[in-house]
Amino acid sequence: MKKLLVLLCLGLTGYHVRAQQKVPAYPLITHDPYFSVWSATDTLNQSATVHWTGAQQALSGLVKVDGVTYRVLGAPAGQGAGILPALQTDVAVHATQTIYQFRCGPVALTLTFTSPLLVRDLMLMSRPVSYVSYCAHATDNRKHAVEVYFGASTDLAVNGPSQPVTTQQYANGELALLKAGTVQQPVLQKKGDDLRIDWGYLYVGVPQSARAARFVGSPAAAEQRFAGKKVSPDKGERQQMLSTSVSLGMVGTAPKEQVFLLGYDDVYAIQYFHTNLKAWWKDSPAATIENALNTAWKEYAAVLQQCEAFDRELHHDAVAAGGEQYAALCELAYRQSVAAHKLVRGPKGELLFLSKENFSNGCINTVDVTYPSAPLFLLYNPDLLKGMMTGIFEYSESGRYTKPFAAHDLGTYPLANGQVYGEDMPVEESGNMLILAGAIAVAEGNADYARAHWKTLTTWADYLLKAGFDPANQLCTDDFAGHLARNANLSLKAIMGIKSYAMLAGMLGETVTATRYDDQARDMAKRWLELAADGDHYTLAFGKPGTWSQKYNMVWDKVLDYHLFPEAVYKKEIDYYLGKQQLFGLPLDSRKTYTKSDWIMWTAVLGDDITPFVQPLYKYITETPTRVPLSDWHETLDGKKVGFQARSVVGGYYMKMLERKLHSGK
């Protein structure tokens, strides 16, 4: 373990050493829709860090070498107090870590941000604590006096900069802690999209054994103090910096590391049908944030080893499925997708994993956001996908929602009190829920989850039999494209949903029902081929020759081995799409040149080789001029974001990995 940490600190594991990556924005602190901090520039010390919404949430990092102070993290506060910019030499984004390399004069520094979102360990994933590691070593065979500084702005605990905050310094267990939160503490009083949390408390921790110097003051004053400059008087600024500095002593070629903890206690996380719920990690009265921080510190070495092992596994499997560029897409998508949810305990102790529809409309637990996100969670932990679906089942089964099709959402984040979207998506959401119930059964090898909701699934399957094949003029998940009647891709969703229900019935021993619905699905598939046919491809809508669209819903026919359509159908569509590709990807359909990157990665799986579709998307993430957390809706002509950012749907990139896993034993 010690050897591993030294290698990681030096950046010598081989896995971490790669050409400097460029991505739209770099994930630093990623836990949930409120505790989410990013860097939007290629150089970490070029700009202030921001919340995924773009609001400033400043982190600051400095390193002093032989009395000379260098900036490694964040933008200068005030006039910079004579602080020099460190030279950034490398950055790499992995599934759970973002790792920077700097030169601070004669000292090399590795600055690592680790958010251990290990989805197979729900307690660890839910624990709202990230690690920020400074690891220094000399490059000239001499020893140098090194001090490191980390600061976190109280902006992380407010919705807007005018809100007054209170701060505190104290010790607990092995840690020296700094704490900040708003004075008013309006717990769960706001809902909406472009919002930040303004209740609960931000924490910065460091071991008491480090004998750290701590300071709470304006950002400029904090940096001036560390740099040894005259500290300007605090003029009553609202923004305060929770600042901690530690001396590493004399540093030679052997690396020395200092780890800082950054945590957030949201007290209550979600309101679920008018009951306020706590985060998953709060499983007992002893589950305090102080205990969580102390546990995180004690487990640092073990957690880092787990993260390293998972990052290696994910990278290896992604490369095997689709190559290095595909792996880069999946690695960038991982923390974003997981952190667009909140994991909470329901009123009965049930697992609820609720998404926020970021920069779309702010809805909570949107079914057609769950659907594209699903491949990542099916791959690594289907229990989390169940946690994305359980609330929708509860909504119908409790009698709160009485329509014969699935709801669209449960409210506006963080209030899950009932659907707020103004229009239903009957075929879309019912098909989504049935398909995902089927996918869970295949992933787990049993239909137990479907059995618990069989009456509801039956209602939705019957609705699709009546209204799904030739859909009326209604919205689908691509609602930004407007209403569309006779949507051929939406028809595919209904067919896949009915086939999923048939498969589930068979797994539950209901053979008559299974045969009936299977026959219906196969008959619908035959009729679909006739109605959608348009020479060398299939149409956007029935009766609309000369149109086309990505048939991403068909992917389940291949991934779940439904065999409703001949492989020649897949090939015909793939060959047609290859002739429609643009510089930054395949357009969504014939109406516009924009696209959805999650759907591209589903569509690509219909072919034997996803590489032709991955390459334009890799170009998009490395060349887009829009510097925000990854947008899933972009223009294929210029790579600019059209809308949405930081959404969970990029978990859909994992469809190829899911297919490979499900077919590995066949």
Side-chain angles (χ1 to χ4, degrees):
M1 172 62 72
K2 184 175 181 180
K3 181 179 179 182
L4 172 63
L5 293 178
V6 169
L7 289 174
L8 290 175
C9 190
L10 288 170
L12 297 177
T13 62
Y15 170 59
H16 287 288
V17 179
R18 52 165 80 161
Q20 182 157 317
Q21 285 180 277
K22 183 176 179 181
V23 298
Y26 298 80
L28 305 179
I29 308 297
T30 47
H31 287 278
D32 60 48
Y34 285 138
F35 193 25
S36 180
V37 185
W38 299 68
S39 173
T41 49
D42 296 321
T43 305
L44 186 60
N45 53 11
Q46 182 181 346
S47 64
T49 57
V50 294
H51 184 255
W52 69 260
T53 58
Q56 180 172 304
Q57 291 193 334
L59 302 178
S60 177
L62 306 172
V63 178
K64 189 187 296 182
V65 179
D66 298 332
V68 179
T69 303
Y70 300 86
R71 179 179 307 284
V72 294
L73 167 61
Q79 299 302 312
I83 298 170
L84 302 176
L87 174 64
Q88 183 178 308
T89 60
D90 186 40
V91 56
V93 177
H94 304 291
T96 65
Q97 297 182 306
T98 302
I99 303 172
Y100 292 88
Q101 304 288 344
F102 291 95
R103 285 297 179 93
C104 305
V107 168
L109 180 83
T110 301
L111 182 58
T112 303
F113 298 85
T114 304
S115 294
L117 302 186
L118 299 175
V119 294
R120 294 164 178 154
D121 185 337
L122 297 185
M123 191 60 68
L124 177 58
M125 186 192 88
S126 175
R127 189 167 69 200
V129 181
S130 278
Y131 302 101
V132 182
S133 164
Y134 291 65
C135 191
H137 71 278
T139 60
D140 60 359
N141 293 318
R142 297 182 180 181
K143 290 192 173 183
H144 303 274
V146 177
E147 296 178 62
V148 295
Y149 163 93
F150 175 69
S153 168
T154 55
D155 282 348
L156 273 74
V158 301
N159 178 50
S162 64
Q163 291 179 281
V165 298
T166 180
T167 62
Q168 182 182 357
Q169 300 186 35
Y170 65 107
N172 182 277
E174 297 184 23
L175 299 177
L177 298 172
L178 296 171
K179 173 183 178 181
T182 57
V183 172
Q184 291 185 327
Q185 288 295 301
V187 177
L188 293 168
Q189 293 302 301
K190 294 182 177 71
K191 63 177 182 177
D193 196 0
D194 191 2
L195 292 176
R196 278 97 5 226
I197 195 168
D198 59 1
W199 71 90
Y201 297 93
L202 172 71
Y203 293 81
V204 175
V206 69
Q208 293 191 61
S209 59
R211 297 183 180 179
R214 296 182 291 162
F215 178 69
V216 177
S218 70
E223 293 189 354
Q224 290 166 355
R225 179 167 175 165
F226 178 75
K229 307 296 182 180
K230 183 178 179 181
V231 177
S232 301
D234 192 327
K235 299 180 181 180
E237 290 96 333
R238 293 283 195 194
Q239 183 191 30
Q240 299 288 289
M241 190 68 74
L242 305 184
S243 305
T244 305
S245 62
V246 178
S247 172
L248 299 183
M250 300 303 292
V251 176
T253 55
K256 289 189 177 181
E257 181 184 30
Q258 182 58 56
V259 177
F260 299 89
L261 305 178
L262 189 66
Y264 204 99
D265 180 12
D266 54 17
V267 185
Y268 285 96
I270 295 291
Q271 188 174 98
Y272 182 71
F273 297 116
H274 305 288
T275 298
N276 291 351
L277 304 181
K278 295 181 178 180
W280 182 263
W281 65 273
K282 292 189 171 185
D283 62 339
S284 71
T288 64
I289 187 63
E290 287 88 356
N291 285 344
L293 287 159
N294 274 281
T295 300
W297 168 246
K298 292 173 185 175
E299 295 179 349
Y300 170 62
V303 169
L304 201 64
Q305 186 178 43
Q306 288 178 262
C307 288
E308 168 72 8
F310 179 75
D311 290 355
R312 281 181 177 276
E313 174 194 342
L314 189 152
H315 181 81
H316 174 272
D317 291 348
V319 170
E324 287 286 352
Q325 291 186 349
Y326 176 63
L329 287 168
C330 291
E331 287 168 311
L332 177 60
Y334 181 80
R335 267 175 287 165
Q336 174 171 315
S337 186
V338 178
H341 299 81
K342 187 68 180 184
L343 183 63
V344 295
R345 294 181 183 275
K348 304 170 188 175
E350 69 272 31
L351 185 158
L352 299 172
F353 192 50
L354 306 176
S355 63
K356 180 177 182 183
E357 198 168 339
N358 291 341
F359 267 24
S360 175
N361 63 4
C363 276
I364 187 170
N365 206 183
T366 302
V367 176
D368 58 287
V369 168
T370 293
Y371 179 67
S373 308
L376 186 157
F377 304 101
L378 284 165
L379 181 66
Y380 291 117
N381 189 347
D383 283 343
L384 289 172
L385 180 54
K386 297 174 193 175
M388 298 154 76
M389 298 169 66
T390 293
I392 300 297
F393 281 121
E394 169 67 17
Y395 193 23
S396 287
E397 292 163 2
S398 66
R400 297 181 180 94
Y401 184 83
T402 58
K403 296 177 181 179
F405 44 78
H408 170 272
D409 63 81
L410 289 184
T412 301
Y413 196 93
L415 307 183
N417 295 324
Q419 181 172 314
V420 294
Y421 197 69
E423 185 172 348
D424 294 314
M425 297 184 187
V427 175
E428 172 71 38
E429 311 303 19
S430 301
N432 291 340
M433 292 293 285
L434 284 157
I435 292 167
L436 295 181
I440 288 170
V442 172
E444 295 190 326
N446 65 74
D448 292 347
Y449 186 68
R451 187 195 306 273
H453 304 287
W454 192 241
K455 183 178 179 181
T456 306
L457 290 169
T458 301
T459 298
W460 295 341
D462 287 343
Y463 176 82
L464 292 182
L465 280 179
K466 296 174 184 176
F469 174 70
D470 195 347
N473 188 37
Q474 60 186 263
L475 294 174
C476 70
T477 182
D478 305 316
D479 52 354
F480 50 82
H483 292 74
L484 180 65
R486 314 195 76 192
N487 184 331
N489 190 46
L490 190 58
S491 175
L492 283 172
K493 180 163 290 182
I495 296 169
M496 295 301 153
I498 291 167
K499 172 58 180 174
S500 296
Y501 181 80
M503 179 194 69
L504 290 167
M507 294 178 75
L508 293 174
E510 298 191 15
T511 55
V512 173
T513 299
T515 299
R516 178 190 168 210
Y517 283 84
D518 186 78
D519 288 346
Q520 292 278 5
R522 295 190 181 281
D523 178 66
M524 291 166 74
K526 290 178 183 178
R527 288 188 286 144
W528 188 95
L529 288 173
E530 296 171 359
L531 283 175
D534 193 17
D536 60 354
H537 70 285
Y538 297 91
T539 57
L540 165 68
F542 300 147
K544 295 286 186 180
T547 64
W548 66 274
S549 64
Q550 291 187 43
K551 305 301 189 297
Y552 53 81
N553 287 320
M554 190 181 283
V555 73
W556 298 107
D557 191 52
K558 184 177 183 181
V559 172
L560 299 181
D561 288 323
Y562 286 165
H563 303 297
L564 297 174
F565 295 92
E567 290 189 10
V569 173
Y570 309 160
K571 186 177 188 306
K572 180 185 286 190
E573 283 292 276
I574 288 293
D575 289 346
Y576 188 81
Y577 298 147
L578 290 174
K580 295 295 182 182
Q581 288 227 93
Q582 301 296 331
L583 190 62
F584 294 97
L586 175 67
L588 182 64
D589 58 47
S590 53
R591 291 173 291 181
K592 300 282 187 178
T593 55
Y594 58 56
T595 194
K596 290 283 272 82
S597 57
D598 48 339
W599 296 144
I600 290 178
M601 293 312 306
W602 286 37
T603 297
V605 176
L606 291 173
D608 295 327
D609 181 11
I610 66 171
T611 304
F613 297 96
V614 168
Q615 289 174 340
L617 283 188
Y618 184 78
K619 184 177 180 66
Y620 160 61
I621 70 164
T622 55
E623 297 183 17
T624 177
T626 311
R627 305 308 300 270
V628 298
L630 185 58
S631 171
D632 53 284
W633 182 19
H634 73 272
E635 259 294 342
T636 61
L637 300 182
D638 59 17
K640 292 181 180 179
K641 164 190 153 180
V642 178
F644 311 152
Q645 65 195 52
R647 299 209 306 166
S648 66
V649 301
V650 293
Y653 292 2
Y654 285 75
M655 183 62 87
K656 183 62 180 180
M657 293 175 69
L658 177 65
E659 182 217 21
R660 185 171 180 268
K661 178 180 179 181
L662 294 182
H663 291 181
S664 61
K666 298 175 183 178

